[in-house]
Each structure stands twice: as structure tokens, then as C-alpha cells.
Amino acid sequence: MAGPMAHSRARRNPADGRAPVRRAGATVGTVFLLIGALGFLPGITSDYGDLRLAGHQSGAELFGVFQVSVLHNLLHLGFGVAGLALSRTVRLARAYLVGGGAVYLVLWLYGLAVDERSAANVIPVNAADDALHLGLGLGMLALALLAGRDGDRR
């Protein structure tokens, strides 16, 4: 029969004691880092030779679907770094998910409003990006709400 000491010597799971909203923020940040990096890889990004700094003229598409540019990829990388940095506390992780969700909903609206072939399409975005931005915005807001229910642990 194992006593209380046996449990204290067990290997600890790094996620134990970490608030769900912090794990959610860190996970979202990690995914953005991965997507930002993949946007610079030929083969994963189709028409890589058409990758431009910014603007709708960039013909590169991540996974052959999502229009990207160097600026777009750098924004993903920056958003990922922010997610990891802000997931150090419950308050900041929640702010990252709520703020990021709001940003992606604004990007969705931007994508609906801007002509894909206009100079105003600087990020650039296409219809697939628009749908993804809507999903990301709603998903991040849902994570902030649902994962944040576990109290305000550090």
C-alpha cells in the first residue's frame, strides 16, 4: 500500500497547476509560430517564387489555399511570440485571447470590405483567409471564455 510519500515523488506533469486559459494562450501562440514559419517554406507554401513583401500581388499560398506575403508571415510569427509571452499569467493570457479574437474579427471584416485586387489589400487576404479569420476570432474568444472559467490562478 503506497503512502502519501509515493505520490510526492511521482514525476509532475508540466501542465499541472497551470490555468487552462494559460495553456490555451500558449497553444494558440505556438500554432501561430508554426504557421508563420511554414509560410516561409517552399512546397508547403505554393508558388513560393511569387511571395512578395506585402500586397495583393503576392501569389504565394500557404497549403495552396491561404494567400500570404512576408508581412503576413511575420505577423503570424509576432502573434505567436506574443501568445507565448502573454501566457505567463491568467490575466495576460485572457487578454491575449480576447484581444486576438477581436483583432481576427476585425481582419475578417476587413477581408469582406476590401477588394482582393486593390492596393488596400496589403496583408494580403483572400476568401479562404476571411473564413479562417472568422473562425480564429470566434475560437479565441470562446477559449478566453471557456478556459477562463477555472478561476484566476496565477
Side-chain angles (χ1 to χ4, degrees), residues 11-12 14 24 34 49-50 59 63 81 92 116 130 141 151:
R11 179 172 269 189
R12 189 166 178 221
L34 179 64
D50 293 332
F63 306 122
V81 169
L92 291 174
E116 290 180 14
D130 296 341
L141 290 173

Side-chain angles (χ1 to χ4, degrees), residues 12-111:
R12 189 166 178 221
N13 181 341
D16 287 347
R18 197 163 169 208
V21 71
R22 289 182 59 211
R23 286 193 305 269
T27 300
V28 170
T30 301
V31 170
F32 274 108
L33 280 174
L34 179 64
I35 294 301
L38 290 175
F40 289 112
L41 293 179
I44 294 175
T45 299
S46 63
D47 299 318
Y48 189 80
D50 293 332
L51 183 69
R52 301 289 178 263
L53 178 62
H56 69 282
Q57 300 91 350
S58 185
E61 292 183 330
L62 182 62
F63 306 122
V65 177
F66 305 104
Q67 189 176 10
V68 293
S69 65
V70 172
L71 175 62
H72 203 148
N73 293 334
L74 291 174
L75 289 171
H76 286 147
L77 290 171
F79 209 73
V81 169
L84 294 178
L86 294 173
S87 293
R88 294 178 184 261
T89 70
V90 167
R91 184 178 59 78
L92 291 174
R94 187 175 294 119
Y96 170 71
L97 292 170
V98 170
V103 165
Y104 274 95
L105 289 177
V106 168
L107 281 173
W108 168 64
L109 292 173
Y110 165 79

